[in-house]
Amino acid sequence: MAEARLRKVVTVTDELLLELGRPVAVPVRRVAAAAVIANPWAGGGFVADLGPEVERIAPGLARLLTDRISEALGGVDRIESFGKAAIVGLDGEIEHGGALIHTPFFGNVFRELAEGTSIIVFSDDRLPAGEPLTVPLWHKTAAATRSHYQTCQIRIPDAPRPDEIVVIAAGASGPRPNARIGDRATDPLIRLADLGDLETVT
């Protein structure tokens, strides 16, 4: 990853065992892996074509971060949900982060390495160093599986610096703690006309 001018890699793992004092039916480990890199476009003003740098940097980032998630979860087969994110330092554009996570050079590589088929849910922002970012996740092969809608949060105290980007991939080994709100396959058919007059919540 020398071409990305990689400064550091941070991996955050959590595993919730109790929810409201009740044991979690399916213990789930959530992992966010982040690469702190130099923003390749920082200081260059408006760059019309971001493609060359994306092609050079993004695939290696996808492999690095997927490997970290897989290692933390105990294998690629343990990744049930995934998500991606980017935090751009204050001297960069949101589009710089988007370029590195939304194109096939990152997204397709991450999806294939994680053995997924779903579109990868995402978040991105421009923030000073140390600000947290919430990363959404959903099922890697069945995005409408409601039990797997969840988030994880990552915060790196010294990143991103103004001329850096934090690229993040996240994964979870299962559903939300004690998920029990059903799914599209079991939902009743609800139509607005069947609900009558709706009162405004004040």
Side-chain angles (χ1 to χ4, degrees):
M1 291 305 301
E3 64 273 15
R5 292 164 60 197
L6 178 68
R7 180 165 71 85
K8 68 190 299 184
V9 180
V10 176
T11 304
V12 176
T13 303
D14 73 42
E15 186 172 358
L16 186 65
L17 304 177
L18 292 174
E19 185 79 332
L20 291 178
R22 185 184 184 92
V24 173
V26 181
V28 174
R29 182 172 292 175
R30 294 176 298 190
V31 179
V36 181
I37 67 168
N39 184 337
W41 304 286
F46 180 83
V47 178
D49 183 6
L50 305 178
E53 295 292 345
V54 170
E55 186 172 354
R56 183 175 66 88
I57 295 171
L61 289 174
R63 175 169 290 280
L64 170 70
L65 298 176
T66 308
D67 286 349
R68 295 298 175 99
I69 295 170
S70 178
E71 180 181 357
L73 293 180
V76 69
D77 59 314
R78 296 280 294 149
I79 302 173
E80 289 192 14
S81 301
F82 57 16
K84 61 186 179 180
I87 309 173
V88 181
L90 296 181
D91 287 349
E93 292 183 69
I94 288 290
E95 188 70 358
H96 297 162
L100 289 175
I101 65 171
H102 293 319
T103 65
F105 292 102
F106 184 89
N108 286 10
V109 175
F110 179 24
R111 181 168 32 251
E112 187 171 337
L113 290 172
E115 299 178 356
T117 55
S118 297
I119 292 174
I120 306 169
V121 66
F122 73 94
S123 62
D124 53 32
D125 209 343
R126 179 170 47 217
L127 297 168
E131 289 295 313
L133 184 71
T134 298
V135 185
L137 301 97
W138 63 29
H139 201 286
K140 71 177 183 180
T141 60
T145 303
R146 194 178 295 142
S147 60
H148 285 61
Y149 294 168
Q150 56 191 310
T151 62
C152 62
Q153 191 176 83
I154 188 163
R155 173 185 174 274
I156 304 174
D158 68 341
R161 294 171 179 169
D163 60 351
E164 290 182 331
I165 300 173
V166 180
V167 177
I168 304 157
S173 63
R176 285 190 319 278
N178 297 336
R180 56 191 186 278
I181 59 170
D183 214 326
R184 294 187 180 189
T186 60
D187 285 345
L189 176 62
I190 301 296
R191 295 175 300 184
L192 183 59
D194 299 328
L195 298 176
D197 292 333
L198 298 180
E199 294 185 8
T200 301
V201 177
T202 58

